[in-house]
Amino acid sequence: MQEQIKNIKTLDELAALYASVFGKNGTMTVRLKGMRDLDNDARAELNRENATLRELFKVRQTELENAALMEKLSGQKLDATLNPMPENRGTLHPLTQCLREISAILESFGYKCHTGPEIEDDWHNFTALNTPAYHPARDMQDTFFLPNGNVMRTQTSAIQIRAMEESGAPIKIFGIGATYRKEMDATHSPMFHQIEGLYVDKNITLTDLIGDVRAFLKQFFQMDDIELRIRPSYFPFTEPSIEIDMKWQGNKWLEIMGAGMVHPNVLRNCNINPDVYQGFAFGFGWDRLAMLKYNLNDIREFYNGDVRWLCGAGF
Ligand code: PHE
């Protein structure tokens, strides 16, 4: 029997032989049924024989299965030159990448990162910024008002106030975050992002402001030199106020940011003595800088959930 098992060539034949031994009326099955008539030695012998046979069947079955697999594999070919399927990897959203670059540059200049709430109270978003309730400059921004009198933050300038209230002067910070205004077209989204710089100390001048802005823009756009145009402007919380334009691609001027020297009333509102301290502030849309850097002309593309933003195929 043992030789017979070893010589079997196919799994089907093995199964047939197995059934003839261990099946319902198989030879071993019948012998096991008669076990009770045997003496102890004969029983032990039968048990051994039973176990050996089962083991032999198992071994032969594995051998035959392996042989069948090898045979199947030897008929197949693996073409290792085939290009792999394209892989969609996740990546950082371009706005996140930009924010990281901007933060790294400002931090290297000594500015510390601050944030604040997106639902802001009237004091931090307007009044402390020298824009009391009657002030016509409130109309400069199309504000989302909440029923309880709070607003969706219209400008990261609110973060300046919180930072100065918290730590007084001297202070050198940048505020980052989402801001909200009721406007929507190719260059405006109702939710956008701003970054705000604030530097208050004893001998700060407008020249320091322009120097930092120039150095920042040069690094961000990786340009050796940069041409800036400074225009007078108006913001309630800075005096004088300016707007900074940058020469873009050699021919056109682009408005990049608002800025100015912090208004004495703003310092006073944060318990800082304007006779001792003065400082500058600047603020810009970080989406806008990202649009310039990535050559986009519709801000809404950042927020449309296009998988190219999320999977990096576009960049
Ligand atoms: N908060 C201004 C705006 O949103 C920008 C600004 C910031 C201007 C700081 C001056 C100083 O338009």
Side-chain angles (χ1 to χ4, degrees):
M1 170 62 74
Q2 303 200 356
E3 279 309 299
Q4 205 184 342
I5 296 173
K6 282 185 191 155
N7 288 332
I8 277 202
K9 293 279 174 300
T10 69
L11 282 163
D12 284 348
E13 283 168 30
L14 189 71
L17 184 61
Y18 184 89
S20 76
V21 179
F22 292 110
K24 207 164 167 221
N25 297 313
T27 47
M28 182 55 80
T29 313
V30 171
R31 285 170 68 196
L32 288 171
K33 274 186 192 151
M35 183 115 112
R36 75 176 89 100
D37 301 329
L38 300 177
D39 64 23
N40 277 350
D41 285 351
R43 279 185 193 187
E45 178 55 32
L46 183 58
N47 275 332
R48 257 197 306 279
E49 204 185 322
N50 178 34
T52 309
L53 277 182
R54 282 183 192 275
E55 183 61 24
L56 281 172
F57 271 107
K58 221 175 13 184
V59 168
R60 190 64 192 142
Q61 183 179 357
T62 310
E63 283 171 1
L64 290 173
E65 281 171 356
N66 285 345
L69 183 64
M70 290 313 287
E71 167 120 16
K72 193 172 160 202
L73 287 180
S74 70
Q76 290 180 351
K77 283 217 173 68
L78 174 69
D79 183 356
T81 64
L82 205 63
N83 287 334
M85 297 286 284
E87 195 180 344
N88 279 342
R89 294 196 183 189
T91 187
L92 291 175
H93 193 283
L95 285 179
T96 307
Q97 296 180 29
C98 263
L99 174 64
R100 292 194 178 181
E101 287 171 30
I102 293 170
S103 300
I105 299 170
L106 291 176
E107 275 163 7
S108 78
F109 294 175
Y111 292 85
K112 293 242 152 29
C113 183
H114 273 242
T115 55
E118 290 176 27
I119 294 176
E120 196 45 288
D121 54 41
D122 184 276
W123 169 256
H124 291 94
N125 197 80
F126 288 124
T127 305
L129 284 160
N130 201 30
T131 324
Y134 58 81
H135 202 293
R138 286 202 175 205
D139 295 342
M140 285 167 76
Q141 299 165 357
D142 291 317
T143 310
F144 287 108
F145 289 97
L146 300 176
N148 65 359
N150 284 344
V151 298
M152 298 306 290
R153 178 172 65 195
T154 61
Q155 47 189 353
T156 45
S157 303
I159 298 176
Q160 285 185 34
I161 302 297
R162 291 187 174 270
M164 285 191 283
E165 282 176 342
E166 209 178 285
S167 358
I171 186 168
K172 192 172 186 183
I173 60 120
F174 66 102
I176 55 166
T179 42
Y180 300 84
R181 293 183 198 177
K182 277 190 257 177
E183 46 192 16
M184 170 110 137
D185 57 36
T187 53
H188 297 92
S189 149
M191 191 278 289
F192 58 109
H193 296 88
Q194 283 191 331
I195 297 199
E196 183 103 2
L198 172 75
Y199 187 10
V200 177
D201 208 331
K202 285 190 175 147
N203 290 300
I204 304 296
T205 67
L206 205 59
T207 317
D208 298 314
L209 162 66
I210 295 166
D212 270 10
V213 167
R214 181 186 297 280
F216 165 75
L217 291 173
K218 265 165 72 171
Q219 281 198 32
F220 180 73
F221 288 110
Q222 294 171 339
M223 301 207 273
D224 292 335
D225 203 11
I226 204 163
E227 230 182 306
L228 296 182
R229 185 170 72 177
I230 311 298
R231 281 183 294 114
S233 185
Y234 175 75
F235 300 102
F237 35 87
T238 45
E239 181 59 36
S241 300
I242 59 172
E243 232 145 308
I244 303 180
D245 302 342
M246 182 178 79
K247 191 72 157 287
W248 186 247
Q249 290 167 344
N251 54 9
K252 49 183 176 204
W253 288 104
L254 292 182
E255 181 191 318
I256 295 289
M257 64 177 77
M261 299 304 290
V262 181
H263 196 292
N265 285 349
V266 174
L267 295 175
R268 258 182 232 113
N269 286 338
C270 302
N271 291 320
I272 295 173
N273 183 350
D275 296 328
V276 180
Y277 289 101
Q278 64 286 145
F280 64 70
F282 60 87
F284 57 87
W286 120 49
D287 316 60
R288 196 166 140 67
L289 287 204
M291 283 168 77
L292 287 175
K293 188 154 184 161
Y294 296 120
N295 214 356
L296 286 177
N297 38 31
D298 194 330
I299 189 175
R300 293 166 295 195
E301 288 186 37
F302 282 138
Y303 305 114
N304 67 6
D306 187 326
V307 290
R308 286 176 306 152
W309 298 132
L310 310 173
C311 297
F315 291 97

